[in-house]
């Protein structure tokens, strides 16, 4: 089971975890990303191209399922205007064993961060805005999964 969602609405991590637990594996691993409020950030705007983003996320999920023996994958990524404290991304996997669950979860968030086509613009309390540029440390984290 692979499910990929790109949505404006918030999500309930607990419900998603229960769905993964129901597939009957021995381990479920997850990551929930939260919008940080550093530097007086008041809004994070995420833009995307719907078909391109969903396709890229599906390819990333498929790659994880080919590499690890997964029973379930759920990827949720939000777009639109988000504020500090909002949930922005959920990565969840179910597998028979913990190593596959933990490793694939780390792979998925690393690759989503660097390969899913989202454009992010920050807006600050003083009115400044800036586009978020790719970070070298994110690229290094994703590169460790290259085979």
């Amino acid at each position: 089971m692979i499910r990929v969602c790109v949505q404006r609405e918030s999500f309930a991590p607990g419900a998603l975890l229960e769905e993964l637990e129901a597939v009957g594996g021995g381990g479920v691993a997850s990551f929930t990303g939260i919008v940080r409020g550093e530097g007086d950030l008041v809004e994070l705007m995420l833009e995307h191209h719907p078909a391109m983003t969903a396709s890229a996320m599906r390819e990333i999920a498929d790659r994880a399922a080919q590499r690890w023996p997964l029973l379930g994958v759920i990827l949720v990524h939000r777009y639109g205007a988000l504020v500090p404290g909002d949930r922005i991304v959920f990565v969840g996997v179910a597998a028979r064993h913990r190593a596959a669950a933990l490793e694939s979860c780390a792979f998925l968030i690393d690759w989503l961060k660097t390969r899913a086509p989202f454009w992010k613009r920050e807006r600050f309390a003083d009115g400044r805005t800036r586009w978020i540029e790719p970070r070298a440390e994110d690229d290094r984290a994703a590169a460790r999964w290259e085979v």
Side-chain angles (χ1 to χ4, degrees), residues 23-27 69-71 94-98 100:
V23 300
L70 302 178
L71 302 171
R96 293 198 193 295
H97 303 284
R98 71 178 179 275

Side-chain angles (χ1 to χ4, degrees), residues 46-65:
L46 280 88
E47 298 179 7
H48 76 295
H49 182 280
M52 183 188 305
T53 303
S55 176
M57 288 175 62
R58 179 63 194 224
E59 287 177 25
I60 293 166
D62 287 343
R63 180 166 255 178

